[in-house]
Amino acid sequence: MRPLPQNQLNPKVKSVWRISDALWITATFVVCAGGFFIAALVEPDSGWAWAVVGIVTAIWVAMMLVWVVVLPPIRYARWRYEVGENELDIAKGIVWRSRSVIPFVRVQNTDTKQGPILRAFGLASVTVATAAGEHVIPGLSFEEADVLRDKIAEQARLAQEDV
């Protein structure tokens, strides 16, 4: 069996994941609990509405603990990538682990992307497109992402010239 790829993401990506997940979990909580909270305020004697708000709040707290505190360090430790001579190797996942080996001859396009949270931390992601879909390497420093994008594009160009 092939050894795991050597390169890890920038450690700042854990903060990016925490912020992104906290925003999505909180937005979902507001949508789910908002109606019941308004119903509880309009009809104060309706204990069921307060019970639902309490249950949804408990679920929100549990999800915040898991996704913001527990998962980012584990996710970071499991995320690895490596650019080989003929392919890009990506390993990721906690429960459902995936290993993608993308031959450069199959690469159609490479991009770097930055959302507002990644940009705030000086990070970017590299997207490698093939006919089968896109593969994303998140959380690289912007300079490292540019170098990696250019290296993959050059390797893909050389591989397609050899065909």
Side-chain angles (χ1 to χ4, degrees):
M1 185 165 177
R2 180 187 283 217
L4 281 176
Q6 296 300 310
N7 301 329
Q8 282 193 297
L9 305 176
N10 189 308
K12 293 179 189 177
V13 75
K14 292 183 279 188
S15 297
V16 170
W17 289 335
R18 285 182 174 114
I19 292 168
S20 296
D21 291 345
L23 288 172
W24 281 109
I25 292 168
T26 301
T28 304
F29 165 73
V30 168
V31 169
C32 291
F36 294 106
F37 184 73
I38 292 169
L41 290 177
V42 170
E43 187 64 45
D45 295 333
S46 61
W48 66 270
W50 286 113
V52 171
V53 170
I55 291 168
V56 172
T57 302
I59 292 170
W60 174 75
V61 169
M63 288 181 72
M64 289 292 278
L65 284 172
V66 171
W67 267 270
V68 175
V69 177
V70 176
L71 289 181
I74 299 169
R75 190 174 169 192
Y76 173 77
R78 292 289 311 150
W79 231 113
R80 298 187 179 279
Y81 70 96
E82 188 169 359
V83 178
E85 194 172 313
N86 298 312
E87 75 278 333
L88 173 64
D89 190 0
I90 299 174
K92 62 183 177 179
I94 299 171
V95 176
W96 289 275
R97 296 180 180 174
S98 79
R99 183 85 182 257
S100 301
V101 178
I102 303 124
F104 289 132
V105 72
R106 302 284 184 216
V107 173
Q108 295 177 343
N109 190 28
T110 59
D111 292 320
T112 52
K113 294 182 182 177
Q114 275 187 318
I117 300 171
L118 281 172
R119 191 171 24 259
F121 285 91
L123 300 176
S125 62
V126 174
T127 303
V128 178
T130 65
E134 290 187 343
H135 303 276
V136 179
I137 303 172
L140 302 172
S141 69
F142 192 70
E143 296 80 21
E144 186 179 1
D146 274 348
V147 169
L148 184 63
R149 179 201 61 218
D150 293 343
K151 183 176 182 179
I152 293 169
E154 179 65 19
Q155 293 287 76
R157 185 185 64 76
L158 291 173
Q160 290 172 359
E161 282 180 1
D162 288 344
V163 172

